[in-house]
Amino acid sequence: MENAEKLVKLLKEQGLHISTAESLTGGMLASCIVDVSGASEVFEEGYVTYSDAVKHKVLGVNKADLEKYTAVSSVVAAQMAEGTAKLSGSDITVATTGYAGPGAAEDGTPAGTVYICVYYNGTQDVRKYCFEGNRNEVRQKSVQEAVKLVCGLLEM
């Protein structure tokens, strides 16, 4: 992936390290980054926290927030990214959470609803997306958008 190569290059140039927390993407984001030669210089660690219990146990996502807002929310995406920053000590962390489908979730959340959060310099940038496509297409689009989001941040 062209953008992943750009991401690794930007991270190297700026002397930064990145870690990931993934629910919806199930490790695809971390895999996308480490597919790039030289990623070992900038990639620290990745967490796949698919269940709510693991989001809480590993990343410290608040149980009450998981119940109130569900895992598919900006609140949870932000807590995932911040929890990853605390665990890893990385300069930048990226979290992905969402609902890939098929069909709407039990709570009515439409398939393709995705939240991506980038945590950098103590600030969070959480974005909501509504992607079209089947499960795998939604997941792939989420990874592409997450990489693009971090690249945009690093180019500022």
Side-chain angles (χ1 to χ4, degrees):
M1 175 185 282
E2 174 181 316
N3 280 338
E5 290 174 2
K6 180 180 179 179
L7 173 60
V8 170
K9 180 178 183 267
L10 288 167
L11 289 164
K12 283 181 184 180
E13 289 172 354
Q14 296 179 34
L16 301 173
H17 293 90
I18 192 168
S19 291
T20 59
E22 302 179 67
S23 183
L24 162 85
T25 51
M28 290 173 69
L29 177 57
S31 180
C32 171
I33 296 168
V34 301
D35 278 348
V36 178
S37 178
S40 61
E41 295 175 43
V42 297
F43 185 79
E44 293 291 325
E45 54 200 77
Y47 300 93
V48 176
T49 56
Y50 208 68
S51 74
D52 288 358
V54 174
K55 285 175 183 68
H56 171 71
K57 178 177 78 175
V58 175
L59 302 178
V61 175
N62 185 292
K63 279 185 181 181
D65 289 341
L66 281 163
E67 290 174 15
K68 182 177 180 179
Y69 300 106
T70 79
V72 183
S73 66
S74 61
V75 171
V76 169
Q79 289 182 32
M80 289 172 65
E82 187 171 355
T84 302
K86 288 176 183 171
L87 282 170
S88 69
S90 291
D91 304 295
I92 298 174
T93 60
V94 186
T96 61
T97 188
Y99 186 69
E106 287 180 24
D107 67 358
T109 301
T113 302
V114 174
Y115 291 89
I116 300 171
C117 181
V118 177
Y119 187 84
Y120 180 51
N121 284 337
T123 62
Q124 301 165 340
D125 184 356
V126 183
R127 309 263 177 110
K128 178 181 180 181
Y129 300 89
C130 298
F131 295 121
E132 297 287 325
N134 64 36
R135 275 183 70 76
N136 201 42
E137 290 168 339
V138 168
R139 295 171 68 228
Q140 288 175 348
K141 289 175 185 178
S142 299
V143 168
Q144 292 168 359
E145 206 55 46
V147 170
K148 195 164 92 175
L149 189 58
V150 179
C151 285
L153 180 83
L154 294 175
E155 291 176 321
M156 292 174 82

